[in-house]
Amino acid sequence: LKKMVCLYMNWTEKKSIRIAILDMYEGFANQGMRCIREILNQFGEANHLDLTWDEFEVRLEKQVPDLSYDIYISTGGPGSPLESEGNEWEKVYFNWLDKVEHWNNNEGNVQKKQVFFICHSFQLICRHYHIAKVGKRKSTAFGIFPMHLLIDGKDELIFDGLKDPFYAVDSRDYQVTEPNHNKLHQMGASILAIEKERPHIPLERAVMAIRFNENMIGTQFHPEADAIGMSLHLQTEEKKKTVVENYGLEKWQSMIEHLNDPEKIMWTYTHILPNFLLRAVDNLQLVEV
């Protein structure tokens, strides 16, 4: 990521940064894991960090990381974020979340654990905290769409360098809508971005990004998506057929064009997760100094 801002380290020696990826894909083929690995590799190299990560298969193997990691990324994944309520893997997952929250709320722990939730994970967390309605969409959202920043989003560091609106990959059958503003306020959470305004459609716009607290943030879109993966995905016979049947050939062609625009999803790819990592590593560095 040549455009990735570099972190100027002032540690006397290279600090080891440990990251845990919570894989929510349930064994389904996906581009998300590859993209996250590439972002971590590129970020580590660009910033001369000794950056390592481990992957945990949450839904099939009920694996979750312990508290020895500095940073956690919980991925997108297939299926309903509602039907898994009460499942064994969910209990294990939310038990992990409780432990991270407990760690972060303990004033004696100066180094806080930073967490990023993507799409399916984001929907689960919104349901878990009862901060919005999580429900099925009338039709699948799939493509490259504009995301609109709210006031809090304009001051949010993970969106640093992005335009308003910025473009991101959206791929979901479910959505987070009807936020509970009282609950959000009590938690110290804030809505950062919402989906494109469509005045002619009488549906509430989905919440696309939330800062849950000082150390946890998430997006309902896919900030890790890159042009290569999206292009491969769009050009599979099945996905092309789905898009053409639902939206028409012109829509499919415009998606391919968006992928070739460096100011659309590749700009998002080189900014959001790298900005999150930069802030997380910066926080670790501040503690060390």
Side-chain angles (χ1 to χ4, degrees):
L1 301 183
K2 290 179 181 171
K3 290 185 180 173
M4 226 182 239
V5 63
C6 279
L7 179 71
Y8 291 97
M9 311 299 293
N10 60 7
W11 285 315
T12 50
E13 58 186 60
K14 197 184 264 193
K15 163 98 171 133
S16 177
I17 307 290
R18 298 186 72 225
I19 298 176
I21 304 173
L22 289 90
D23 175 359
M24 302 288 271
Y25 281 102
E26 205 174 19
F28 281 78
N30 67 89
Q31 292 289 332
M33 291 296 289
R34 176 190 62 80
C35 290
I36 291 168
R37 292 179 197 122
E38 288 195 4
I39 286 172
L40 294 179
N41 264 327
Q42 291 161 340
F43 183 83
E45 284 175 19
N47 294 294
H48 312 294
L49 290 170
D50 175 16
L51 190 150
T52 59
W53 68 86
D54 294 311
E55 298 172 10
F56 298 85
E57 211 309 326
V58 179
R59 292 165 75 174
L60 292 177
E61 304 293 336
K62 304 181 185 66
Q63 296 173 346
V64 288
D66 60 23
L67 293 174
S68 65
Y69 295 87
D70 303 303
I71 299 167
Y72 299 82
I73 298 172
S74 188
T75 74
S80 166
L82 302 172
E83 289 171 15
S84 56
E85 188 167 7
N87 277 9
E88 277 307 307
W89 71 259
E90 263 209 15
K91 290 175 188 171
V92 171
Y93 181 73
F94 289 128
N95 185 44
W96 159 78
L97 181 67
D98 288 344
K99 287 178 179 173
V100 173
E101 286 185 309
H102 185 70
W103 173 280
N104 285 343
N105 292 335
N106 182 342
E107 288 182 13
N109 295 325
V110 186
Q111 282 196 352
K112 306 301 182 185
K113 309 296 181 184
Q114 303 291 316
V115 191
F116 198 108
F117 301 96
I118 298 170
C119 199
H120 194 92
S121 296
F122 175 87
Q123 293 166 346
L124 289 175
I125 298 303
C126 288
R127 194 197 81 210
H128 179 68
Y129 286 141
H130 305 290
I131 54 176
K133 179 185 176 185
V134 181
K136 197 162 185 359
R137 285 178 55 88
K138 290 194 185 305
S139 61
T140 300
F142 179 78
I144 298 156
F145 298 107
M147 304 292 158
H148 294 263
L149 294 174
L150 299 186
I151 291 170
D152 288 321
K154 289 174 182 178
D155 294 330
E156 172 55 56
L157 291 176
I158 72 155
F159 298 133
D160 195 31
L162 290 174
K163 293 177 180 174
D164 180 25
F166 62 91
Y167 285 80
V169 168
D170 197 6
S171 176
R172 60 198 162 84
D173 293 306
Y174 293 81
Q175 62 181 356
V176 174
T177 56
E178 299 176 30
N180 182 332
H181 294 286
N182 287 337
K183 196 75 194 279
L184 286 160
H185 183 68
Q186 286 167 11
M187 277 178 62
S190 54
I191 298 173
L192 307 173
I194 54 176
E195 69 181 339
K196 180 183 179 182
E197 185 167 14
R198 294 174 296 170
H200 56 290
I201 298 176
L203 295 173
E204 183 161 355
R205 284 182 287 170
V207 174
M208 298 307 289
I210 294 176
R211 176 163 283 288
F212 298 104
N213 55 53
E214 199 179 339
N215 305 297
M216 295 182 179
I217 195 164
T219 64
Q220 195 167 203
F221 58 85
H222 285 269
E224 81 285 13
D226 68 358
I228 299 165
M230 190 65 177
S231 184
L232 288 170
H233 192 47
L234 270 174
Q235 291 182 68
T236 61
E237 202 173 318
E238 185 189 358
K239 186 49 75 174
K240 182 176 179 180
K241 187 180 173 206
T242 304
V243 173
V244 171
E245 281 178 0
N246 288 318
Y247 303 105
L249 183 61
E250 273 186 33
K251 174 69 173 175
W252 181 84
Q253 288 168 333
S254 82
M255 285 186 192
I256 297 292
E257 281 171 26
H258 279 335
L259 291 175
N260 297 320
D261 184 340
E263 293 199 0
K264 288 205 164 64
I265 74 161
M266 285 313 290
W267 193 256
T268 300
Y269 171 85
T270 57
H271 282 76
I272 292 184
L273 274 177
N275 281 343
F276 164 74
L277 293 167
L278 194 69
R279 182 181 188 270
V281 172
D282 237 358
N283 285 346
L284 292 171
Q285 185 184 4
L286 288 171
V287 173
E288 292 286 322
V289 171

mmCIF file of all heavy atoms in Angstrom, residues 57 100 136 172 288:
data_model
loop_
_atom_site.group_PDB
_atom_site.id
_atom_site.type_symbol
_atom_site.label_atom_id
_atom_site.label_comp_id
_atom_site.label_asym_id
_atom_site.label_seq_id
_atom_site.Cartn_x
_atom_site.Cartn_y
_atom_site.Cartn_z
ATOM 1 N N GLU A 57 -11.122 -19.972 13.908
ATOM 2 C CA GLU A 57 -12.356 -20.365 13.222
ATOM 3 C C GLU A 57 -13.479 -20.397 14.277
ATOM 4 O O GLU A 57 -13.584 -21.330 15.070
ATOM 5 C CB GLU A 57 -12.176 -21.734 12.578
ATOM 6 C CG GLU A 57 -12.956 -21.987 11.308
ATOM 7 C CD GLU A 57 -14.437 -21.669 11.383
ATOM 8 O OE1 GLU A 57 -15.062 -21.855 12.439
ATOM 9 O OE2 GLU A 57 -14.993 -21.226 10.364
ATOM 10 N N VAL A 100 -12.822 -9.094 26.702
ATOM 11 C CA VAL A 100 -12.130 -7.927 26.141
ATOM 12 C C VAL A 100 -12.672 -6.646 26.784
ATOM 13 O O VAL A 100 -11.902 -5.758 27.179
ATOM 14 C CB VAL A 100 -12.295 -7.865 24.597
ATOM 15 C CG1 VAL A 100 -11.731 -6.562 24.040
ATOM 16 C CG2 VAL A 100 -11.595 -9.061 23.941
ATOM 17 N N LYS A 136 -33.970 -8.634 8.083
ATOM 18 C CA LYS A 136 -33.701 -9.052 6.694
ATOM 19 C C LYS A 136 -34.074 -7.923 5.739
ATOM 20 O O LYS A 136 -35.060 -7.230 5.936
ATOM 21 C CB LYS A 136 -34.514 -10.303 6.368
ATOM 22 C CG LYS A 136 -33.993 -11.037 5.134
ATOM 23 C CD LYS A 136 -34.506 -12.461 5.108
ATOM 24 C CE LYS A 136 -33.968 -13.321 3.983
ATOM 25 N NZ LYS A 136 -33.068 -12.803 3.032
ATOM 26 N N ARG A 172 -24.810 -7.893 1.501
ATOM 27 C CA ARG A 172 -25.552 -8.384 2.672
ATOM 28 C C ARG A 172 -27.023 -8.597 2.347
ATOM 29 O O ARG A 172 -27.592 -7.929 1.507
ATOM 30 C CB ARG A 172 -25.401 -7.413 3.852
ATOM 31 C CG ARG A 172 -25.900 -6.039 3.583
ATOM 32 C CD ARG A 172 -25.385 -4.966 4.536
ATOM 33 N NE ARG A 172 -25.597 -3.666 3.931
ATOM 34 C CZ ARG A 172 -26.733 -2.980 3.994
ATOM 35 N NH1 ARG A 172 -27.755 -3.443 4.675
ATOM 36 N NH2 ARG A 172 -26.860 -1.819 3.392
ATOM 37 N N GLU A 288 4.138 2.720 25.667
ATOM 38 C CA GLU A 288 5.541 2.326 25.790
ATOM 39 C C GLU A 288 6.455 3.498 26.138
ATOM 40 O O GLU A 288 7.453 3.326 26.807
ATOM 41 C CB GLU A 288 6.022 1.710 24.447
ATOM 42 C CG GLU A 288 5.383 0.394 24.111
ATOM 43 C CD GLU A 288 5.930 -0.737 24.968
ATOM 44 O OE1 GLU A 288 7.148 -0.733 25.244
ATOM 45 O OE2 GLU A 288 5.159 -1.604 25.368
#
